[in-house]
Amino acid sequence: MNLLIMGPPGAGKGTQAEELVKRLGITHISTGDMFRSAIKEGTEMGLKAKEYMDKGELVPDYVVVGMVKERLFQSDSVCGFLLDGFPRNVVQAEELDETLKSIGLSLNGVINIVVPREKLVERATGRRICRTCGASYHVSFKKPREEGICDNCGGELYQRSDDNETAVNNRLYIYEASTKPLIDYYTTRGLIRNIDGDQDIDKVMEDILKNICS
Ligand code: ADP
Ligand code: AMP
């Protein structure tokens, strides 16, 4: 199963992706996580990407597309993948179509998580991430058992540098202008599955599973 999960920043893509890949036994490809790893490792690409990320802007297409292509060519992608955070504009979507075609793959569905805009800033600014395994928490909606500590691996939780109100608002603006048009792009191709993301985390997962398995 080759899937894509989309929605505005803070909609719950990463949270649902983390669980969905476990249930379906597919590979999670999150461009945001890949950039955060590159920053942690201090690579040249990571340092360049950070300049854009901290402002809530998109990293240039040629950088992201190159990185995703390389990842899709790795052997574990053949057994199924969930793309999260990519594509973020029509150019990236067209590049993805071409790349998949060149390796004989295609998308089976696009999960579109729908959440009212007024809830998104609170979700994103309250998000906390594990420094070690990348698991995502929320100060009110998904608290870890012990404050500041990851339930999965005991790693330290931190707040992303782009999860401040200014950067989140910029990301929401860019989502509206560049990423939202992809809903039409994938609707035209008969792939879109709209999911109500304004529900408990478990209920959102249940709806996703019902939708993609029906
Ligand atoms: P995205 O990957 O779409 O930016 P995340 O999955 O990281 O979003 O979720 C953003 C924040 O909102 C996280 O702190 C997460 O714990 C929280 N969250 C995710 N889904 C829900 C939900 N259904 N209800 C309340 N909070 C949620
Ligand atoms: P995310 O973890 O998906 O919220 O992404 C965090 C940041 O990484 C974004 O705000 C962008 O700066 C950058 N990023 C992630 N994916 C992409 C993409 N497909 N295109 C451009 N920039 C991206």
Side-chain angles (χ1 to χ4, degrees), residues 4-8 11 110-115 175 180 183 191-197:
L4 199 157
I5 189 161
M6 63 176 290
V110 173
I111 300 160
N112 179 39
I113 308 204
V114 182
V115 175
Y175 167 80
K180 209 172 174 188
I183 297 176
L191 290 170
I192 214 87
R193 320 282 178 89
N194 289 312
I195 301 290
D196 178 7

Side-chain angles (χ1 to χ4, degrees), residues 6-18 36 84 88 113 115 119-120 122-129 136-143 160 163 171 196-202 204:
M6 63 176 290
K13 301 180 293 294
T15 304
Q16 297 301 328
E18 207 180 305
R36 281 182 288 278
D84 164 7
R88 263 185 156 90
I113 308 204
V115 175
K119 305 240 170 139
L120 295 169
E122 189 187 6
R123 282 199 188 180
T125 54
R127 169 167 42 204
R128 299 292 182 269
I129 302 285
S136 169
Y137 296 85
H138 192 278
V139 291
S140 312
F141 308 135
K142 193 185 173 199
K143 294 181 179 179
R160 277 169 47 175
D163 275 345
R171 282 152 62 201
D196 178 7
D198 189 14
Q199 317 180 71
D200 284 352
I201 292 174
D202 293 348
V204 178

Side-chain angles (χ1 to χ4, degrees), residues 6-207:
M6 63 176 290
K13 301 180 293 294
T15 304
Q16 297 301 328
E18 207 180 305
E19 180 65 22
L20 194 58
V21 295
K22 279 190 216 151
R23 300 226 188 181
L24 300 178
I26 58 179
T27 302
H28 185 194
I29 303 179
S30 157
T31 43
D33 285 351
M34 289 165 89
F35 285 133
R36 281 182 288 278
S37 295
I39 291 170
K40 200 166 143 187
E41 286 160 21
T43 68
E44 202 178 313
M45 193 260 277
L47 293 177
K48 192 80 212 141
K50 190 171 179 348
E51 289 175 26
Y52 295 91
M53 292 170 77
D54 282 348
K55 287 184 272 184
E57 288 171 8
L58 293 185
V59 176
D61 291 338
Y62 76 94
V63 179
V64 191
V65 169
M67 183 176 78
V68 172
K69 273 188 184 169
E70 212 174 281
R71 185 67 189 84
L72 284 169
F73 290 147
Q74 288 172 21
S75 57
D76 58 349
S77 299
V78 179
C79 302
F81 58 79
L82 174 64
L83 277 167
D84 164 7
F86 181 91
R88 263 185 156 90
N89 58 32
V90 171
V91 171
Q92 294 182 10
E94 287 170 351
E95 290 275 2
L96 174 64
D97 283 346
E98 261 184 45
T99 304
L100 290 179
K101 203 168 151 197
S102 75
I103 46 179
L105 299 176
S106 59
L107 289 175
N108 302 107
V110 173
I111 300 160
N112 179 39
I113 308 204
V114 182
V115 175
R117 195 191 182 292
E118 64 271 17
K119 305 240 170 139
L120 295 169
V121 176
E122 189 187 6
R123 282 199 188 180
T125 54
R127 169 167 42 204
R128 299 292 182 269
I129 302 285
C130 173
R131 240 181 241 292
T132 310
C133 73
S136 169
Y137 296 85
H138 192 278
V139 291
S140 312
F141 308 135
K142 193 185 173 199
K143 294 181 179 179
R145 281 191 295 271
E146 196 181 331
E147 200 187 321
I149 306 288
C150 177
D151 292 350
N152 296 343
C153 72
E156 179 204 0
L157 303 187
Y158 77 103
Q159 182 173 29
R160 277 169 47 175
S161 53
D162 59 346
D163 275 345
N164 60 77
E165 212 163 320
T166 310
V168 170
N169 277 315
N170 199 27
R171 282 152 62 201
L172 286 168
Y173 174 80
I174 291 174
Y175 167 80
E176 289 289 329
S178 305
T179 313
K180 209 172 174 188
L182 293 180
I183 297 176
D184 283 345
Y185 183 94
Y186 288 118
T187 301
T188 308
R189 287 157 179 77
L191 290 170
I192 214 87
R193 320 282 178 89
N194 289 312
I195 301 290
D196 178 7
D198 189 14
Q199 317 180 71
D200 284 352
I201 292 174
D202 293 348
K203 181 68 175 69
V204 178
M205 179 85 279
E206 198 185 311
D207 284 2

